[in-house]
């Protein structure tokens, strides 16, 4: 955290608080209010099996605001199991990415919500844990396959009273796409083409 | 795909089919059968806000088989929003990681299940899509925040009849940790420390 108030005011003026371009954020909200269909998005991941439990996804193309789009570059992610789960540890396990996803979604929301409310954040850290009994996926005990409990611990610092900072976290939870998916579930359909 | 049957038999003999060490896989199953508590795992992600909607997670430590463990190296993942969602595109969006996670979990399971059944896979590709109406997270319409539908399209190739390859996908779905989390939901608790 900088104590140089000059540089802080440079990066935290009213239109760029927390690194959020609030003018563009509000303009985007107004644009979607005027044209709700602009908010229909489709995100995509393309995965290819490598070897054993190792696979690799590329993420680039998506649809939004009425047209096909792409990230500025193609992002590539490996997933694998560690040796203790009979893999070669060439990436984190698939289920660990869910924890990263949740932390990142809540944190991005907090930056936006704080900026919109005129709150300057100086630190947001979190640890997300997921407890899982692998007897489920191993088919050995009648327990669920996935996490039994996920816990998020945030450390938040900013220029507002504690109750305001807590309300930023709470509003982010209420508007988080990943929190919704993880807590409420989503229908998944699977189609298979045998080549 | 190699047509060199010598090298294929080197990498796809009975104890290393699909790159899966089936001897170790079966030994692990037996070990967990004898000591079910070994299957209690906790996975973790540590996230730190960077700027705007950009945050970064590190994933390394986890608990399993009765002790604290770590991946062979620390893995680092950035997440951000693209410019059209008022970010700087320094990573894929948090909700896109969920799609990678699902593809990777189902694919790892298929490799293991096929190996256990003596089926050699030669190709597994998938595209996972997630449809989302961002009017939810923007608070503009009474729609859910997360994906409304997730779809997985697999292309699978291997040395078994079509119905066997389809049954490998189906068994992987039935034993997938991420599929369970995404379709059924998980309780998430959030604690906040204001520093």
């Amino acid at each position: 955290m900088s104590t140089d108030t000059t540089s802080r005011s440079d990066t935290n003026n009213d239109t760029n608080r927390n690194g959020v371009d609030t003018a563009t954020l509000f303009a985007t909200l107004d644009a979607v209010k005027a044209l709700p269909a602009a908010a229909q998005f489709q995100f995509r991941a393309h995965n290819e099996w490598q070897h054993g439990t190792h696979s690799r996804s590329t993420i680039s193309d998506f649809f939004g605001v009425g047209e096909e789009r792409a990230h500025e570059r193609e992002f590539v992610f490996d997933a694998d199991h560690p040796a203790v789960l009979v893999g070669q540890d060439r990436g984190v396990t698939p289920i660990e990415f869910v924890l990263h996803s949740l932390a990142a979604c809540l944190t991005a929301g907090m930056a936006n919500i704080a900026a919109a409310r005129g709150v300057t954040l100086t630190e947001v850290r979190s640890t997300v844990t997921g407890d899982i009994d692998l007897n489920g996926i191993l088919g050995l005990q009648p327990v669920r396959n996935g996490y039994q409990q996920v816990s998020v611990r945030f450390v938040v610092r900013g220029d507002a009273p504690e109750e305001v900072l807590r309300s930023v976290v709470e509003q982010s939870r209420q508007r988080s796409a990943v929190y919704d998916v993880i807590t409420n579930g989503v229908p998944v359909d699977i189609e298979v083409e045998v080549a």
Side-chain angles (χ1 to χ4, degrees), chain A residues 25-36:
Chain A
L25 182 62
F26 291 133
T28 300
L29 275 164
D30 286 342
V32 177
K33 262 184 217 169
L35 186 66

Side-chain angles (χ1 to χ4, degrees), chain A residues 34-127:
Chain A
L35 186 66
Q40 302 294 334
F41 274 63
Q42 182 181 76
F43 291 111
R44 302 165 192 148
H46 306 278
N47 184 275
E48 189 161 7
W49 175 55
Q50 304 295 308
H51 191 77
T53 50
H54 176 208
S55 75
R56 179 172 293 154
S57 290
T58 55
I59 297 180
S60 172
D61 58 302
F62 63 93
F63 178 90
V65 199
E67 61 187 63
E68 286 295 318
R69 295 173 181 276
H71 286 288
E72 286 180 24
R73 65 178 183 88
E74 184 175 81
F75 294 92
V76 178
F77 304 102
D78 291 277
D80 199 356
H81 289 185
V84 70
L85 297 174
V86 202
Q88 299 192 301
D89 214 11
R90 288 172 178 165
V92 303
T93 61
I95 198 77
E96 286 172 292
F97 281 102
V98 172
L99 306 178
H100 160 56
S101 177
L102 178 61
C105 191
L106 291 168
T107 300
M110 287 164 62
N112 278 339
I113 291 159
R117 295 181 179 185
V119 173
T120 299
L121 298 174
T122 49
E123 182 178 13
V124 180
R125 286 185 291 116
S126 59
T127 292

